[in-house]
Amino acid sequence: MKNYYKLILLGLFISSPLIFSPLSYGASGIVFIHGTGNQTDAATDYWSREFIDSVRQGMPEPANYEVINCNFDQYMWDEAAAGCLANQLHTFIQHKNIDDLIMLTHSNGGNIVRWILSNPTWDSRYIDIINATSRVIALAPSSGGTPLADAVNQGSVFETTLGWLLGYGSDAVKQQQVSWMSYYNSTWLNGTQNRPTLGKPFEVVVGSDVDSAIWDGDSYCAGYQYQVALETTQNWLDDCSDGFLECSSQSAAGTVWFTDKQKTAGREPLSHQQSRRACFNLDSLIRNHI
């Protein structure tokens, strides 16, 4: 008789998960992490609603997304930069019970994410973020810095030409000088050659060129004036660049997922401005990838 009752209780336990709920399941989520700048409405001013809404449809739960707004004009380790990012990520993870987090970054945002992944004991919030992260997709990351940051800090013509992109002489721009990033990559940051891995996939999309021909409709995606400015600054970069970053800088950390023309519609290049917008099916490539 005792065995009979045990079987009944076991049956009730198995068939009544709402009562007993022995397991707590997590969820998937995606965050959009902007680059240099002090953002208060990055969804509109940095990305675009078209891009965000398209990309997040690739997630199992499209409503589980967050657009980061932080002061990335500061050094990557600053509380206003990495601290702000950690706070928003940690809150998102806890609120949505995220255990499968994809971080989508652009430009200098990739450096701040690498800071968190590389220094798990720096901040008590970092380890929870690292444990929840499944991978990072880095769009045109400035992993190796840019000669344009050197030029800005030397007070050249770039101050007026690239003020809209670099924010003039901020700490974040100083940080992205080539020699400075070389130092950080050899000491504080992981993921580059001869350094420990990041522990999480860091998948890079590289922008290799800029088109600004006035008769070419593709030059107008994400704003024609930006393509003109970025094609001008290409004169101070090597033959493979997105107008702000050389390809070697973008591919300095993690692994290259693809270089623009390998996958974009019409084999179009992605300028530094276009690599954060829904240009040449970039949004659908990411959506299908996640």
Side-chain angles (χ1 to χ4, degrees), residues 52-239:
I52 291 168
D53 289 342
S54 176
V55 168
R56 66 187 179 90
Q57 295 308 313
M59 298 296 294
E61 300 164 89
N64 284 351
Y65 77 100
E66 187 79 6
V67 181
I68 300 301
N69 288 288
C70 287
N71 185 359
F72 287 175
D73 279 337
Q74 310 304 317
Y75 291 118
M76 63 184 118
W77 57 82
D78 194 280
E79 182 61 24
C84 173
L85 176 58
N87 187 58
Q88 292 184 29
L89 289 174
H90 198 256
T91 299
F92 176 61
I93 289 167
Q94 289 192 317
H95 180 65
K96 296 288 189 177
N97 197 26
I98 302 294
D99 64 0
D100 177 23
L101 178 69
I102 294 176
M103 291 195 260
L104 181 65
T105 76
H106 184 258
S107 194
N108 185 45
N111 293 326
I112 301 168
V113 167
R114 280 206 296 141
W115 172 265
I116 291 176
L117 295 179
S118 302
N119 298 280
T121 61
W122 182 273
D123 186 301
S124 60
R125 297 167 293 187
Y126 286 11
I127 194 64
D128 289 340
I129 294 166
I130 294 169
N131 288 338
T133 299
S134 56
R135 60 177 149 159
V136 179
I137 300 174
L139 307 174
S142 56
S143 300
T146 175
L148 301 185
D150 295 77
V152 165
N153 282 280
Q154 294 164 12
S156 77
V157 67
F158 291 110
E159 288 195 13
T160 54
T161 305
L162 277 183
W164 58 272
L165 181 62
L166 287 172
Y168 302 99
S170 70
D171 288 341
V173 175
K174 294 176 184 176
Q175 171 190 290
Q176 292 175 84
Q177 294 176 83
V178 174
S179 61
W180 289 38
M181 284 305 302
S182 177
Y183 168 74
Y184 298 135
N185 283 324
S186 66
T187 53
W188 289 98
L189 298 177
N190 294 337
T192 53
Q193 188 174 12
N194 300 321
R195 289 287 291 161
T197 67
L198 290 165
K200 304 289 181 177
F202 191 87
E203 304 172 336
V204 176
V205 175
V206 175
S208 67
D209 204 356
V210 183
D211 282 344
S212 65
I214 195 170
W215 59 83
D216 185 357
D218 294 327
S219 301
Y220 293 81
C221 188
Y224 178 71
Q225 70 275 25
Y226 299 124
Q227 313 320 313
V228 173
L230 288 168
E231 187 157 43
T232 300
T233 56
Q234 275 194 307
N235 293 317
W236 283 266
L237 303 171
D238 67 23
D239 291 339

Side-chain angles (χ1 to χ4, degrees), residues 206-285:
V206 175
S208 67
D209 204 356
V210 183
D211 282 344
S212 65
I214 195 170
W215 59 83
D216 185 357
D218 294 327
S219 301
Y220 293 81
C221 188
Y224 178 71
Q225 70 275 25
Y226 299 124
Q227 313 320 313
V228 173
L230 288 168
E231 187 157 43
T232 300
T233 56
Q234 275 194 307
N235 293 317
W236 283 266
L237 303 171
D238 67 23
D239 291 339
C240 185
S241 81
D242 66 357
F244 176 49
L245 298 169
E246 295 174 341
C247 297
S248 57
S249 174
Q250 298 172 61
S251 58
T255 57
V256 174
W257 171 21
F258 70 92
T259 297
D260 48 21
K261 297 178 185 179
Q262 294 175 337
K263 292 184 179 292
T264 52
R267 303 178 68 85
E268 291 290 334
L270 289 166
S271 75
H272 200 68
Q273 173 76 356
Q274 292 170 333
S275 58
R276 55 186 165 115
R277 300 296 174 86
C279 293
F280 321 128
N281 81 326
L282 175 62
D283 54 320
S284 61
L285 287 168

